[in-house]
Each structure stands twice: as C-alpha cells, then as structure tokens.
Amino acid sequence: MKDIYTISKIRNSILGLRDWELVLLILLLNFLNNYIFSVVSDLFDISLSKGFDDNYTIKEKIVLFVVVAPLIETLLFQYLVIEICKSFKMRLKYCCFISAFVFASFHLYNVFYFLFAFTGGLLYAFLYIKGNNQKKAILLPLVAHTIYNGSVFIIKTYLT
C-alpha cells in the first residue's frame, strides 16, 4: 500500500510542475536515457549514433538537426499521431505509446536505436499531452526536442 501511495505522490508532483520545470525534467530524463543507452551500447559494441552527413556545412546541419527536424517531428509524431488517436477515442496512454512507436520507427537505424528513440518519443508524447491547449501542446515537446538536439549537436561537433 505504501508503494502505491509513493507512486501517486510522485505522479501528482510531476503533473503539478510548471511548464518550464516539466520541459527541464523531460530534458534531464532524455539525457539520462542517452547516457544509459550509450553505456549499454558500448558494452555490446552497438552503434547508437547515426552520425552526420559530411556533405552538409555546419550551418546546414544546425538548421536541419536543431531547427527543422524537431519542428517536423513534433508536428508529425506528436501532433498528427496523437490527434488522430484521440479522434478514435483512444486512451491517452495508448496515444503516447503509438506516437512513440511511430517516432521510433522513423529512427530505425538499428533495433537498439529504435528502443532509445522510443523512450525519447514517450517523453515528447507526454509533454504534448501535458499541454492544455493546442499551442502549448506543440510548443512543449518542440522546445524540449530543439534544446536536446542542439545540446547533442554541440557535444558531437565540438566536444568529442
């Protein structure tokens, strides 16, 4: 009984966060996801990074990876998929899982990367659902995804 109370308390605490706190929490969870999958991928010698195409300039990579990809992916994998699921009167948790599955399917560089992207997709879908109106629903995962991709871009380009 104590476990149920603790889970309920954690759930209520998360749902009570302000938008910027929630985005920060999702970013931290996404970086933790990245770290865990990086460690495991090193153990099994599986590539977790797709890498950047050398045919693009730095500016083109920034525009594509940090700006365009999060925008298109938010509109396709959170907005479109979740709104279609909701139109079929699906429960929100199933909408999130379907959104994450579709998101991960478009990141299917290998099975391991699919699992990594599925976890990230769940986090972005949760942010979308947490947005109370359409503008906020799109903005929350878009901001988190843009900051995450920008951080990963800086780390991969300049720090490794």
Side-chain angles (χ1 to χ4, degrees), residues 80-92 95:
L80 188 64
V81 172
I82 292 173
E83 292 304 319
I84 288 172
C85 291
K86 284 169 54 177
S87 74
F88 286 107
K89 308 288 187 225
M90 295 178 81
R91 297 180 77 177
L92 292 179
C95 296

Side-chain angles (χ1 to χ4, degrees), residues 78-96 98-99 125-135 137-138:
Q78 281 85 55
Y79 172 71
L80 188 64
V81 172
I82 292 173
E83 292 304 319
I84 288 172
C85 291
K86 284 169 54 177
S87 74
F88 286 107
K89 308 288 187 225
M90 295 178 81
R91 297 180 77 177
L92 292 179
K93 65 181 175 183
Y94 298 128
C95 296
C96 286
I98 291 170
S99 171
F126 173 76
L127 275 177
Y128 181 86
I129 295 295
K130 182 69 169 98
N132 295 329
N133 59 52
Q134 205 61 53
K135 183 179 177 184
I138 292 171

Side-chain angles (χ1 to χ4, degrees), residues 63-81 99 102-103 106-107 124 138 141-143 145-146 149:
V63 169
L64 289 173
F65 185 68
V66 180
V67 178
V68 174
L71 178 61
I72 291 173
E73 290 178 352
T74 298
L75 293 174
L76 287 177
F77 305 129
Q78 281 85 55
Y79 172 71
L80 188 64
V81 172
S99 171
V102 175
F103 178 81
F106 277 80
H107 294 83
Y124 297 138
I138 292 171
L142 177 60
V143 167
H145 197 161
T146 300
N149 278 17

